[in-house]
Amino acid sequence: MRPPLWHPPIELSNHEELIIKRIKRAKLFTFLRLNRSFIFNDEFQDELATIFKDSTVGHSPVPPAQLALTIILQAYLGISDDEVIEEMVMDQRGCISLLQISQ
């Protein structure tokens, strides 16, 4: 089973616009949200997907673009694997980069 491509919304939702207006520091969050569709275009996502082995067992894989974006934010914040999950749940700045909160 190959991981799916990730096609998050390009346009900002009203909620995302409010969050972005409030971000004073940590502009990387804003940059990633505004540019994630260009950075992780279909061609690059196909390339990232080659690291996955085709398999019919287990859970469906997370789109590699989302994993890559998570790793970028994890390195930027200097936090552990567990902490990055907590951060994405608790901090809306990270959510605007990674999640499709407008849906």
Side-chain angles (χ1 to χ4, degrees):
M1 153 179 2
R2 300 294 287 191
L5 295 182
W6 183 45
H7 293 110
I10 294 173
E11 297 298 320
L12 294 174
S13 69
N14 292 336
H15 184 68
E16 290 170 320
E17 286 179 11
L18 288 173
I19 294 169
I20 285 175
K21 285 180 185 175
R22 292 185 178 141
I23 294 175
K24 302 292 185 228
R25 296 178 300 158
K27 296 289 185 178
L28 179 65
F29 294 101
T30 301
F31 173 81
L32 291 172
R33 171 54 186 93
L34 296 175
N35 296 288
R36 66 187 179 190
S37 294
F38 302 109
I39 296 167
F40 298 103
N41 59 33
D42 286 352
E43 181 181 345
F44 186 45
Q45 288 193 54
D46 285 337
E47 187 176 334
L48 289 172
T50 64
I51 64 173
F52 286 85
K53 182 177 100 173
D54 281 334
S55 176
T56 58
V57 294
H59 298 286
S60 298
V62 173
Q66 282 186 299
L67 291 175
L69 197 52
T70 302
I71 292 168
I72 291 168
L73 292 174
Q74 182 179 7
Y76 177 72
L77 296 170
I79 57 180
S80 71
D81 291 347
D82 290 338
E83 290 171 317
V84 77
I85 294 167
E86 182 179 319
E87 191 72 23
M88 294 306 106
V89 171
M90 302 304 291
D91 189 339
Q92 291 185 345
R93 295 176 306 177
C95 288
I96 66 167
S97 301
L98 278 174
L99 305 177
Q100 300 175 25
I101 62 175
S102 61
Q103 294 182 344

